[in-house]
Amino acid sequence: MSKFGELIDAQVPVLLDFFTEWNEPSIAMNEVIRHVAAALGDKAKVIKIDIDKNQELAEALRIKGLPTLMIYKSGQMVWRQSGELDANTLINIVKEQA
């Protein structure tokens, strides 16, 4: 969990994508997340977290639906949504938090 604290304690927005390898909406978001990461460059960090490999973290954050997307800024959650989004919408949401 301390590693998670280090990940989210950034001055730029940190977009987290909680997913699994077997969940179809999570798989569908892979390409979107890649596009978002490429478009934002160093203006944000984009991190994918497999909840099957990070069950304790998923429970602590009450991850229920997949994919669950969160944005943290300076260690604080500023946005959260479950479900799929298109790349442009997600890029704009991250930019609003910059």
Side-chain angles (χ1 to χ4, degrees):
M1 289 293 235
S2 63
K3 186 177 179 198
F4 180 71
E6 292 171 23
L7 285 177
I8 63 171
D9 192 28
Q11 296 307 309
V12 296
V14 181
L15 173 63
L16 302 175
D17 172 25
F18 291 89
F19 74 101
T20 65
E21 298 288 342
W22 48 265
N23 176 267
E24 283 189 34
S26 291
I27 295 165
M29 282 298 290
N30 282 341
E31 190 61 37
V32 171
I33 295 298
R34 270 196 291 279
H35 182 75
V36 169
L40 292 171
D42 60 0
K43 293 183 184 80
K45 290 202 293 189
V46 178
I47 301 167
K48 294 177 63 67
I49 299 176
D50 186 337
I51 66 166
D52 287 338
K53 296 176 183 164
N54 297 278
Q55 291 179 348
E56 187 179 325
L57 177 60
E59 286 175 24
L61 293 172
R62 295 182 176 90
I63 306 292
K64 304 286 185 224
L66 292 174
T68 293
L69 304 166
M70 295 181 190
I71 299 173
Y72 278 82
K73 180 126 187 234
S74 301
Q76 298 295 315
M77 185 191 310
V78 293
W79 180 85
R80 175 179 176 149
Q81 181 174 320
S82 293
E84 298 175 65
L85 287 173
D86 65 86
N88 288 335
T89 300
L90 199 49
I91 289 166
N92 288 331
I93 292 168
V94 173
K95 284 182 176 177
E96 286 172 12
Q97 306 302 332

